[in-house]
Amino acid sequence: EIVMTQSPATLSVSPGERATLSCRASQSVSSKLAWYQQKPGQAPRLLIYGASTRATGIPDRFSGSGSGTDFTLTISSLQSEDFAVYYCQQYSHWPPWTFGQGTKVEIK
Amino acid sequence: EVQLVESGGGLVQPGESLRLSCTASGFIFSSYEMYWVRQAPGKGLEWVSYISSSGSSIYHADSVKGRFTISRDNTRNSLYLQMNSLRVEDTAVYYCARDPVLGADYFDSWGQGTLVTVSS
């Protein structure tokens, strides 16, 4: 089973600032990495797939990078609606499909 | 518009059973692989089950293997999760999710979730 590790657990950022979230896989997942955003009381929403491709309707302030074992989600200028929990997920080796434990982006 | 609506959650005692449903609309359900993903209160996301578009291929997480069964009825645009021998640790919001295209293997659409509480 591939273990996904996200860091940091919590990221405190001021509106308008840049946020950088990390995700590491226990073995190579190539570019088969997705990012999801989840707000309280809501279902997750797909942001990025293929490590760097934005899903339909996702603003271009969200960008993904990386391949192999190390990945990054960058939010270039945080808006109020971006404060949420973000999860990475690998889909290279399944089953199981595995998620990171999440990074909470909170207002500084 | 793609819509996934889960139902069937509730409060049950340990050892009891529950059947969750997910009704799909806005797309050709029979063409898509589907999943169940759960989230325990205050915790992260955990994949539970997968079913191919025809229902011929199924996988379950080790944590539910032998107790949970995923199925689908393409004539009713519906996905199901039969949960038997429920445990306290199965308490979670259960989401159904869609694979956007054959072989994509990630989740592009999610339902709003249904809460399952297992407690004595």
Side-chain angles (χ1 to χ4, degrees):
Chain A
E1 171 178 332
I2 296 180
V3 176
M4 306 301 293
T5 303
Q6 292 184 240
S7 61
T10 304
L11 188 60
S12 298
V13 186
S14 299
E17 288 189 342
R18 181 187 196 91
T20 303
L21 289 67
S22 295
C23 175
R24 175 166 289 177
S26 60
Q27 65 186 81
S28 176
V29 299
S30 185
S31 294
K32 297 196 171 184
L33 191 285
W35 289 94
Y36 302 87
Q37 177 194 66
Q38 187 178 34
K39 297 178 182 179
Q42 295 186 17
R45 176 175 72 145
L46 176 67
L47 295 177
I48 301 282
Y49 61 93
S52 61
T53 303
R54 277 187 300 276
T56 303
I58 302 303
D60 60 7
R61 63 180 181 271
F62 291 92
S63 63
S65 63
S67 67
T69 61
D70 291 300
F71 302 88
T72 300
L73 175 69
T74 302
I75 312 171
S76 60
S77 176
L78 270 157
Q79 306 298 302
S80 57
E81 62 267 30
D82 300 335
F83 292 96
V85 179
Y86 293 83
Y87 295 95
C88 62
Q89 175 236 334
Q90 69 82 21
Y91 52 97
S92 176
H93 301 282
W94 50 262
W97 288 259
T98 50
F99 294 87
Q101 79 279 18
T103 290
K104 181 180 181 181
V105 178
E106 64 176 24
I107 301 174
K108 187 174 182 180
Chain B
E1 179 195 2
V2 173
Q3 278 205 317
L4 298 169
V5 178
E6 300 94 338
S7 60
L11 173 63
V12 295
Q13 295 190 338
E16 294 187 338
S17 298
L18 210 55
R19 188 197 198 204
L20 305 184
S21 299
C22 170
T23 302
S25 60
F27 63 102
I28 301 173
F29 180 72
S30 59
S31 297
Y32 289 81
E33 299 164 295
M34 298 293 297
Y35 304 81
W36 288 99
V37 177
R38 70 183 179 182
Q39 186 170 37
K43 302 297 184 182
L45 301 168
E46 178 189 18
W47 165 75
V48 174
S49 301
Y50 156 91
I51 188 167
S52 62
S53 57
S54 67
S56 61
S57 182
I58 285 173
Y59 298 105
H60 293 105
D62 287 346
S63 58
V64 306
K65 201 171 292 182
R67 301 186 298 121
F68 289 13
T69 303
I70 190 173
S71 63
R72 65 191 298 160
D73 184 341
N74 287 341
T75 66
R76 296 177 181 270
N77 290 341
S78 292
L79 175 72
Y80 305 104
L81 186 66
Q82 178 66 43
M83 304 186 295
N84 298 332
S85 303
L86 281 160
R87 304 169 179 169
V88 170
E89 56 264 35
D90 295 320
T91 295
V93 174
Y94 285 74
Y95 297 100
C96 63
R98 188 188 79 160
D99 189 316
V101 65
L102 182 64
D105 304 323
Y106 54 89
F107 317 120
D108 77 327
S109 298
W110 299 64
Q112 86 289 350
T114 187
L115 176 62
V116 172
T117 303
V118 185
S119 175
S120 54

Coordinates of all heavy atoms in Angstrom, one line a residue, chain B residues 16-94:
Chain B
E16 N -25.1 -4.8 13.6 CA -26.3 -4.7 12.7 C -25.9 -4.3 11.3 O -24.7 -4.2 11.0 CB -27.3 -3.6 13.3 CG -27.9 -4.0 14.6 CD -29.0 -3.0 15.0 OE1 -29.0 -1.8 14.6 OE2 -29.8 -3.4 15.8
S17 N -26.9 -4.3 10.4 CA -26.6 -4.0 9.0 C -27.3 -2.8 8.5 O -28.3 -2.3 9.2 CB -27.2 -5.2 8.2 OG -26.5 -6.4 8.5
L18 N -26.8 -2.3 7.4 CA -27.4 -1.1 6.8 C -27.1 -1.1 5.3 O -26.0 -1.6 4.9 CB -26.7 0.2 7.4 CG -27.5 1.5 7.5 CD1 -28.8 1.3 8.2 CD2 -26.7 2.5 8.2
R19 N -28.0 -0.6 4.5 CA -27.7 -0.5 3.0 C -27.8 0.9 2.6 O -28.8 1.6 2.7 CB -28.7 -1.3 2.3 CG -28.4 -1.5 0.8 CD -29.7 -1.9 0.0 NE -29.3 -2.5 -1.3 CZ -30.2 -2.5 -2.3 NH1 -31.4 -2.0 -2.1 NH2 -29.9 -3.0 -3.5
L20 N -26.7 1.4 2.0 CA -26.6 2.7 1.5 C -26.9 2.7 0.0 O -26.6 1.7 -0.7 CB -25.2 3.3 1.7 CG -24.7 3.4 3.1 CD1 -23.4 4.1 3.1 CD2 -25.7 4.0 4.1
S21 N -27.5 3.8 -0.5 CA -27.8 3.9 -1.9 C -27.3 5.3 -2.4 O -27.1 6.2 -1.6 CB -29.3 3.9 -2.1 OG -29.9 2.7 -1.7
C22 N -27.0 5.3 -3.7 CA -26.5 6.5 -4.3 C -27.2 6.6 -5.7 O -27.0 5.7 -6.5 CB -25.0 6.5 -4.5 SG -24.3 7.8 -5.5
T23 N -28.0 7.6 -5.8 CA -28.7 7.7 -7.1 C -28.1 8.8 -8.0 O -27.8 9.9 -7.5 CB -30.2 8.1 -6.8 OG1 -30.8 7.2 -6.0 CG2 -31.0 8.3 -8.1
A24 N -27.8 8.4 -9.2 CA -27.0 9.3 -10.1 C -28.0 9.9 -11.2 O -28.9 9.2 -11.6 CB -25.9 8.4 -10.8
S25 N -27.6 11.1 -11.6 CA -28.3 11.7 -12.7 C -27.4 12.7 -13.4 O -26.3 13.0 -12.8 CB -29.6 12.5 -12.2 OG -29.2 13.5 -11.2
G26 N -27.7 13.0 -14.6 CA -26.9 14.0 -15.4 C -25.8 13.4 -16.2 O -25.1 14.1 -16.8
F27 N -25.7 12.1 -16.2 CA -24.7 11.4 -17.0 C -25.1 10.0 -17.2 O -26.1 9.5 -16.6 CB -23.3 11.5 -16.3 CG -23.2 10.7 -15.0 CD1 -22.6 9.5 -14.9 CD2 -23.7 11.3 -13.8 CE1 -22.5 8.8 -13.7 CE2 -23.6 10.7 -12.6 CZ -23.0 9.4 -12.5
I28 N -24.5 9.3 -18.1 CA -24.8 7.9 -18.5 C -24.1 7.0 -17.4 O -23.0 6.6 -17.6 CB -24.3 7.6 -19.9 CG1 -25.0 8.5 -20.9 CG2 -24.7 6.1 -20.2 CD1 -24.5 8.4 -22.3
F29 N -24.9 6.7 -16.4 CA -24.4 6.0 -15.2 C -23.7 4.7 -15.6 O -22.6 4.4 -15.1 CB -25.5 5.7 -14.2 CG -25.1 5.0 -13.0 CD1 -24.4 5.6 -12.0 CD2 -25.5 3.7 -12.8 CE1 -24.0 4.9 -10.8 CE2 -25.2 3.0 -11.7 CZ -24.4 3.6 -10.7
S30 N -24.2 4.0 -16.5 CA -23.7 2.6 -16.9 C -22.3 2.7 -17.5 O -21.7 1.6 -17.7 CB -24.7 1.9 -17.8 OG -24.9 2.7 -19.0
S31 N -21.9 3.8 -17.9 CA -20.5 4.0 -18.5 C -19.4 4.3 -17.5 O -18.3 4.4 -17.9 CB -20.6 5.1 -19.6 OG -21.5 4.7 -20.6
Y32 N -19.8 4.5 -16.3 CA -18.8 5.0 -15.3 C -18.5 4.0 -14.2 O -19.4 3.4 -13.6 CB -19.3 6.3 -14.7 CG -19.2 7.5 -15.7 CD1 -20.3 7.6 -16.7 CD2 -18.2 8.3 -15.8 CE1 -20.2 8.6 -17.6 CE2 -18.1 9.4 -16.7 CZ -19.1 9.5 -17.6 OH -19.1 10.5 -18.5
E33 N -17.2 4.0 -13.8 CA -16.8 3.3 -12.6 C -17.2 4.2 -11.4 O -17.2 5.4 -11.5 CB -15.3 3.1 -12.6 CG -14.8 2.2 -13.8 CD -13.3 2.3 -14.0 OE1 -12.9 3.4 -14.4 OE2 -12.6 1.3 -13.9
M34 N -17.5 3.5 -10.3 CA -18.0 4.2 -9.1 C -17.3 3.7 -7.9 O -16.7 2.6 -7.8 CB -19.5 4.0 -9.0 CG -20.3 4.6 -10.1 SD -20.3 6.4 -10.3 CE -21.0 6.9 -8.7
Y35 N -17.3 4.6 -6.9 CA -16.6 4.3 -5.6 C -17.5 4.7 -4.4 O -18.3 5.6 -4.5 CB -15.3 5.1 -5.5 CG -14.3 5.0 -6.6 CD1 -14.5 5.7 -7.8 CD2 -13.2 4.2 -6.5 CE1 -13.6 5.5 -8.9 CE2 -12.3 4.0 -7.6 CZ -12.5 4.7 -8.7 OH -11.6 4.6 -9.8
W36 N -17.1 4.2 -3.3 CA -17.5 4.7 -2.0 C -16.3 5.1 -1.2 O -15.3 4.4 -1.2 CB -18.3 3.6 -1.2 CG -19.7 3.3 -1.7 CD1 -20.1 2.3 -2.4 CD2 -20.9 4.1 -1.4 NE1 -21.4 2.3 -2.7 CE2 -21.9 3.4 -2.1 CE3 -21.1 5.2 -0.7 CZ2 -23.2 3.9 -2.0 CZ3 -22.4 5.7 -0.6 CH2 -23.5 5.0 -1.3
V37 N -16.4 6.3 -0.6 CA -15.3 6.8 0.2 C -15.9 7.3 1.5 O -17.0 7.9 1.5 CB -14.6 8.0 -0.5 CG1 -13.5 8.7 0.4 CG2 -14.0 7.6 -1.9
R38 N -15.2 7.1 2.6 CA -15.8 7.5 3.9 C -14.9 8.4 4.7 O -13.7 8.5 4.4 CB -16.2 6.3 4.7 CG -15.0 5.5 5.3 CD -15.5 4.3 6.1 NE -14.4 3.5 6.6 CZ -14.5 2.4 7.3 NH1 -15.8 1.9 7.5 NH2 -13.5 1.7 7.7
Q39 N -15.5 9.1 5.6 CA -14.8 10.1 6.4 C -15.3 10.0 7.9 O -16.4 10.4 8.1 CB -14.9 11.5 5.9 CG -14.1 12.5 6.5 CD -14.1 13.8 5.8 OE1 -15.1 14.3 5.2 NE2 -12.9 14.5 5.8
A40 N -14.5 9.5 8.8 CA -14.9 9.4 10.2 C -14.9 10.9 10.7 O -14.2 11.8 10.2 CB -13.9 8.6 10.9
P41 N -15.7 11.1 11.8 CA -15.8 12.4 12.3 C -14.5 13.1 12.6 O -13.7 12.5 13.4 CB -16.7 12.2 13.6 CG -17.4 11.0 13.3 CD -16.6 10.1 12.5
G42 N -14.2 14.2 12.1 CA -12.9 14.9 12.3 C -11.7 14.3 11.7 O -10.6 14.8 12.0
K43 N -11.9 13.3 10.8 CA -10.7 12.6 10.3 C -10.6 12.8 8.8 O -11.4 13.6 8.2 CB -10.9 11.1 10.6 CG -10.9 10.8 12.0 CD -9.7 11.2 12.8 CE -9.8 10.7 14.3 NZ -8.6 11.2 15.0
G44 N -9.7 12.1 8.1 CA -9.5 12.3 6.7 C -10.3 11.3 5.9 O -11.2 10.6 6.4
L45 N -10.0 11.3 4.6 CA -10.8 10.5 3.7 C -10.2 9.1 3.6 O -9.0 8.9 3.5 CB -10.7 11.2 2.3 CG -11.3 12.6 2.2 CD1 -11.0 13.2 0.9 CD2 -12.8 12.5 2.4
E46 N -11.1 8.1 3.4 CA -10.7 6.7 3.3 C -11.5 6.0 2.2 O -12.7 6.0 2.3 CB -10.9 5.9 4.6 CG -10.5 4.5 4.5 CD -10.9 3.7 5.8 OE1 -11.8 4.1 6.6 OE2 -10.4 2.5 5.9
W47 N -10.8 5.5 1.2 CA -11.5 4.7 0.2 C -12.0 3.5 0.8 O -11.3 2.8 1.5 CB -10.5 4.4 -1.0 CG -11.0 3.4 -1.9 CD1 -12.0 3.5 -2.8 CD2 -10.7 2.0 -1.9 NE1 -12.3 2.3 -3.4 CE2 -11.5 1.3 -2.8 CE3 -9.7 1.2 -1.1 CZ2 -11.4 0.0 -3.1 CZ3 -9.6 -0.1 -1.4 CH2 -10.4 -0.8 -2.4
V48 N -13.3 3.1 0.4 CA -13.9 1.9 0.9 C -14.1 0.9 -0.2 O -13.8 -0.3 0.1 CB -15.3 2.3 1.5 CG1 -16.1 1.1 1.9 CG2 -15.1 3.3 2.6
S49 N -14.7 1.2 -1.3 CA -15.1 0.2 -2.3 C -15.1 0.8 -3.7 O -15.2 2.0 -3.9 CB -16.5 -0.4 -2.0 OG -16.6 -1.0 -0.8
Y50 N -14.8 -0.1 -4.7 CA -14.8 0.3 -6.1 C -15.7 -0.8 -6.9 O -15.7 -1.9 -6.5 CB -13.4 0.2 -6.6 CG -13.3 0.0 -8.1 CD1 -13.3 1.1 -9.0 CD2 -13.3 -1.3 -8.7 CE1 -13.2 0.9 -10.4 CE2 -13.2 -1.5 -10.0 CZ -13.1 -0.4 -10.9 OH -13.1 -0.6 -12.2
I51 N -16.4 -0.3 -7.9 CA -17.0 -1.2 -8.8 C -16.9 -0.7 -10.2 O -17.0 0.5 -10.5 CB -18.5 -1.3 -8.4 CG1 -19.2 -2.4 -9.2 CG2 -19.3 0.0 -8.5 CD1 -20.6 -2.9 -8.7
S52 N -16.6 -1.6 -11.2 CA -16.5 -1.2 -12.6 C -17.9 -0.9 -13.1 O -18.9 -1.1 -12.5 CB -15.9 -2.4 -13.3 OG -16.7 -3.5 -13.3
S53 N -17.9 -0.3 -14.3 CA -19.1 0.1 -15.0 C -20.1 -1.0 -15.1 O -21.3 -0.8 -15.0 CB -18.8 0.8 -16.3 OG -18.1 -0.1 -17.2
S54 N -19.7 -2.2 -15.4 CA -20.6 -3.3 -15.6 C -20.9 -4.0 -14.3 O -21.8 -4.9 -14.3 CB -20.0 -4.3 -16.6 OG -18.8 -4.9 -16.1
G55 N -20.1 -3.8 -13.3 CA -20.2 -4.5 -12.1 C -19.4 -5.8 -12.0 O -19.5 -6.5 -11.0
S56 N -18.6 -6.0 -13.0 CA -17.9 -7.3 -13.1 C -16.6 -7.3 -12.2 O -16.1 -8.3 -11.9 CB -17.6 -7.6 -14.5 OG -16.7 -6.6 -15.1
S57 N -16.1 -6.1 -11.9 CA -14.9 -6.0 -11.1 C -15.2 -5.2 -9.9 O -15.8 -4.1 -10.0 CB -13.8 -5.3 -12.0 OG -12.6 -5.2 -11.2
I58 N -14.8 -5.7 -8.7 CA -15.1 -5.1 -7.4 C -13.9 -5.2 -6.6 O -13.2 -6.2 -6.6 CB -16.3 -5.8 -6.8 CG1 -17.6 -5.4 -7.5 CG2 -16.4 -5.6 -5.3 CD1 -18.8 -6.2 -7.0
Y59 N -13.6 -4.1 -5.8 CA -12.6 -4.2 -4.8 C -13.1 -3.5 -3.5 O -13.9 -2.6 -3.6 CB -11.3 -3.4 -5.2 CG -10.6 -3.9 -6.4 CD1 -10.8 -3.2 -7.7 CD2 -9.9 -5.0 -6.4 CE1 -10.1 -3.7 -8.8 CE2 -9.2 -5.5 -7.5 CZ -9.4 -4.8 -8.7 OH -8.7 -5.3 -9.8
H60 N -12.7 -4.0 -2.4 CA -13.0 -3.5 -1.1 C -11.7 -3.2 -0.3 O -10.8 -4.0 -0.4 CB -13.9 -4.4 -0.3 CG -15.3 -4.5 -0.9 ND1 -15.7 -5.6 -1.6 CD2 -16.3 -3.7 -0.9 CE1 -16.9 -5.5 -2.0 NE2 -17.4 -4.3 -1.6
A61 N -11.7 -2.2 0.6 CA -10.6 -2.0 1.5 C -10.5 -3.1 2.5 O -11.6 -3.8 2.8 CB -10.8 -0.7 2.2
D62 N -9.3 -3.4 2.9 CA -9.2 -4.5 3.9 C -10.0 -4.3 5.1 O -10.5 -5.3 5.7 CB -7.7 -4.6 4.3 CG -6.8 -5.2 3.2 OD1 -7.4 -5.8 2.2 OD2 -5.6 -5.1 3.3
S63 N -10.2 -3.0 5.5 CA -10.9 -2.7 6.7 C -12.4 -3.1 6.7 O -13.1 -3.2 7.7 CB -10.8 -1.2 7.1 OG -11.3 -0.5 6.0
V64 N -12.9 -3.4 5.5 CA -14.4 -3.7 5.3 C -14.6 -5.0 4.6 O -15.7 -5.5 4.4 CB -15.1 -2.6 4.6 CG1 -14.9 -1.2 5.3 CG2 -14.8 -2.5 3.1
K65 N -13.5 -5.6 4.1 CA -13.6 -6.8 3.3 C -14.3 -7.9 4.1 O -14.0 -8.1 5.3 CB -12.2 -7.3 2.9 CG -12.2 -8.2 1.7 CD -10.7 -8.4 1.2 CE -10.1 -7.1 0.6 NZ -8.8 -7.3 0.1
G66 N -15.2 -8.6 3.5 CA -16.0 -9.7 4.1 C -17.2 -9.2 4.9 O -18.0 -10.0 5.3
R67 N -17.3 -7.8 5.1 CA -18.5 -7.3 5.8 C -19.3 -6.4 4.8 O -20.5 -6.3 5.0 CB -18.0 -6.5 7.0 CG -17.2 -7.3 8.0 CD -16.9 -6.4 9.2 NE -16.1 -5.2 8.9 CZ -16.5 -4.0 9.2 NH1 -17.7 -3.8 9.7 NH2 -15.7 -3.0 8.9
F68 N -18.6 -5.7 4.0 CA -19.3 -4.7 3.1 C -19.3 -5.3 1.6 O -18.4 -5.9 1.2 CB -18.6 -3.4 3.0 CG -18.7 -2.5 4.3 CD1 -19.2 -3.0 5.5 CD2 -18.3 -1.2 4.2 CE1 -19.3 -2.3 6.6 CE2 -18.4 -0.4 5.4 CZ -18.9 -0.9 6.6
T69 N -20.4 -5.0 0.9 CA -20.5 -5.4 -0.5 C -21.0 -4.2 -1.3 O -22.1 -3.7 -1.1 CB -21.4 -6.6 -0.7 OG1 -21.0 -7.7 0.1 CG2 -21.5 -7.0 -2.1
I70 N -20.3 -3.9 -2.4 CA -20.7 -2.8 -3.3 C -21.4 -3.5 -4.5 O -21.1 -4.6 -4.9 CB -19.5 -2.0 -3.8 CG1 -19.9 -0.8 -4.6 CG2 -18.5 -2.9 -4.6 CD1 -18.8 0.2 -5.0
S71 N -22.4 -2.8 -5.0 CA -23.2 -3.3 -6.1 C -23.8 -2.1 -6.9 O -23.7 -1.0 -6.4 CB -24.2 -4.3 -5.7 OG -25.2 -3.7 -4.9
R72 N -24.3 -2.4 -8.0 CA -25.0 -1.4 -8.8 C -26.1 -1.9 -9.6 O -26.1 -3.1 -9.9 CB -24.0 -0.6 -9.7 CG -23.3 -1.5 -10.8 CD -22.2 -0.8 -11.5 NE -22.5 0.5 -12.1 CZ -21.7 1.4 -12.4 NH1 -20.4 1.3 -12.1 NH2 -22.1 2.5 -13.1
D73 N -27.0 -1.1 -9.9 CA -28.2 -1.4 -10.8 C -28.2 -0.3 -11.9 O -28.7 0.8 -11.7 CB -29.5 -1.5 -10.0 CG -30.6 -1.9 -10.9 OD1 -30.5 -1.9 -12.2 OD2 -31.7 -2.4 -10.4
N74 N -27.6 -0.7 -13.0 CA -27.5 0.4 -14.1 C -28.9 0.7 -14.7 O -29.0 1.8 -15.3 CB -26.6 -0.1 -15.2 CG -25.1 -0.1 -14.7 OD1 -24.8 0.6 -13.8 ND2 -24.2 -0.8 -15.4
T75 N -29.9 -0.1 -14.5 CA -31.2 0.2 -15.0 C -31.9 1.2 -14.1 O -32.8 1.9 -14.5 CB -32.1 -1.1 -15.1 OG1 -32.3 -1.5 -13.7 CG2 -31.5 -2.2 -15.9
R76 N -31.4 1.3 -12.9 CA -32.0 2.3 -11.9 C -31.0 3.4 -11.6 O -31.3 4.3 -10.8 CB -32.3 1.6 -10.6 CG -33.4 0.5 -10.7 CD -33.6 -0.2 -9.4 NE -34.6 -1.2 -9.5 CZ -35.9 -1.0 -9.3 NH1 -36.4 0.2 -9.0 NH2 -36.8 -2.0 -9.4
N77 N -29.9 3.5 -12.4 CA -28.9 4.5 -12.1 C -28.5 4.6 -10.7 O -28.3 5.7 -10.1 CB -29.4 5.9 -12.6 CG -29.5 6.0 -14.1 OD1 -28.9 5.2 -14.8 ND2 -30.3 6.9 -14.6
S78 N -28.3 3.5 -10.1 CA -28.1 3.4 -8.6 C -26.9 2.6 -8.2 O -26.6 1.5 -8.8 CB -29.3 2.9 -7.9 OG -30.4 3.8 -8.0
L79 N -26.2 3.1 -7.2 CA -25.0 2.4 -6.6 C -25.4 2.0 -5.2 O -26.1 2.8 -4.5 CB -23.8 3.3 -6.6 CG -22.5 2.9 -5.9 CD1 -21.8 1.8 -6.7 CD2 -21.6 4.1 -5.7
Y80 N -24.9 0.9 -4.7 CA -25.3 0.5 -3.3 C -24.1 0.1 -2.5 O -23.0 -0.3 -3.1 CB -26.2 -0.7 -3.4 CG -27.5 -0.5 -4.2 CD1 -27.6 -1.0 -5.5 CD2 -28.5 0.3 -3.8 CE1 -28.7 -0.8 -6.3 CE2 -29.6 0.5 -4.5 CZ -29.7 0.0 -5.8 OH -30.8 0.3 -6.6
L81 N -24.2 0.1 -1.2 CA -23.2 -0.4 -0.3 C -24.0 -1.2 0.8 O -24.6 -0.5 1.6 CB -22.3 0.7 0.3 CG -21.1 0.1 1.1 CD1 -20.1 -0.6 0.2 CD2 -20.4 1.3 1.8
Q82 N -23.9 -2.5 0.8 CA -24.5 -3.3 1.8 C -23.4 -3.4 2.9 O -22.3 -4.0 2.7 CB -24.9 -4.7 1.3 CG -25.4 -5.6 2.3 CD -26.8 -5.1 2.9 OE1 -27.6 -4.7 2.2 NE2 -26.9 -5.2 4.2
M83 N -23.8 -3.0 4.1 CA -22.8 -3.0 5.2 C -23.4 -3.9 6.3 O -24.4 -3.7 6.9 CB -22.6 -1.6 5.8 CG -22.2 -0.6 4.7 SD -21.8 1.0 5.4 CE -23.4 1.5 6.0
N84 N -22.7 -5.0 6.5 CA -23.0 -6.0 7.6 C -22.0 -6.0 8.7 O -20.9 -5.5 8.6 CB -23.1 -7.4 7.0 CG -24.2 -7.5 5.9 OD1 -25.2 -6.8 5.9 ND2 -24.0 -8.4 4.9
S85 N -22.4 -6.5 9.8 CA -21.5 -6.6 11.0 C -20.9 -5.3 11.3 O -19.6 -5.2 11.5 CB -20.5 -7.7 10.7 OG -21.1 -9.0 10.5
L86 N -21.7 -4.3 11.4 CA -21.1 -2.9 11.6 C -20.4 -2.8 12.9 O -20.8 -3.4 13.9 CB -22.2 -1.9 11.4 CG -22.5 -1.6 9.9 CD1 -23.9 -0.9 9.8 CD2 -21.5 -0.7 9.3
R87 N -19.3 -2.0 12.9 CA -18.5 -1.8 14.1 C -18.5 -0.3 14.4 O -18.8 0.5 13.5 CB -17.1 -2.2 13.8 CG -16.9 -3.7 13.4 CD -15.5 -3.9 12.9 NE -15.3 -5.3 12.4 CZ -14.3 -5.8 11.8 NH1 -13.3 -4.9 11.5 NH2 -14.2 -7.1 11.5
V88 N -18.2 0.0 15.6 CA -18.1 1.4 16.0 C -17.2 2.2 15.1 O -17.5 3.4 14.8 CB -17.7 1.5 17.5 CG1 -17.4 3.0 17.9 CG2 -18.7 0.9 18.4
E89 N -16.1 1.6 14.7 CA -15.1 2.3 13.8 C -15.6 2.5 12.4 O -14.9 3.1 11.6 CB -13.8 1.6 13.9 CG -13.9 0.1 13.4 CD -13.9 -0.8 14.6 OE1 -14.6 -0.5 15.6 OE2 -13.4 -2.0 14.5
D90 N -16.8 2.0 12.1 CA -17.4 2.3 10.7 C -18.2 3.6 10.7 O -18.7 4.0 9.7 CB -18.3 1.1 10.3 CG -17.6 -0.2 10.1 OD1 -16.5 -0.2 9.5 OD2 -18.1 -1.2 10.5
T91 N -18.3 4.2 11.9 CA -19.0 5.5 12.0 C -18.3 6.5 11.1 O -17.1 6.8 11.3 CB -19.0 6.0 13.4 OG1 -19.8 5.1 14.2 CG2 -19.6 7.4 13.5
A92 N -19.0 7.1 10.2 CA -18.4 8.0 9.2 C -19.5 8.6 8.3 O -20.7 8.1 8.3 CB -17.4 7.3 8.3
V93 N -19.2 9.6 7.6 CA -20.0 10.1 6.5 C -19.5 9.3 5.3 O -18.3 9.2 5.0 CB -19.8 11.6 6.2 CG1 -20.5 12.0 4.9 CG2 -20.3 12.4 7.4
Y94 N -20.4 8.7 4.5 CA -20.1 7.9 3.4 C -20.5 8.6 2.1 O -21.6 9.1 2.0 CB -20.9 6.5 3.4 CG -20.3 5.6 4.4 CD1 -20.4 5.8 5.8 CD2 -19.5 4.5 4.0 CE1 -19.9 4.9 6.7 CE2 -18.9 3.6 5.0 CZ -19.1 3.9 6.3 OH -18.5 3.0 7.2

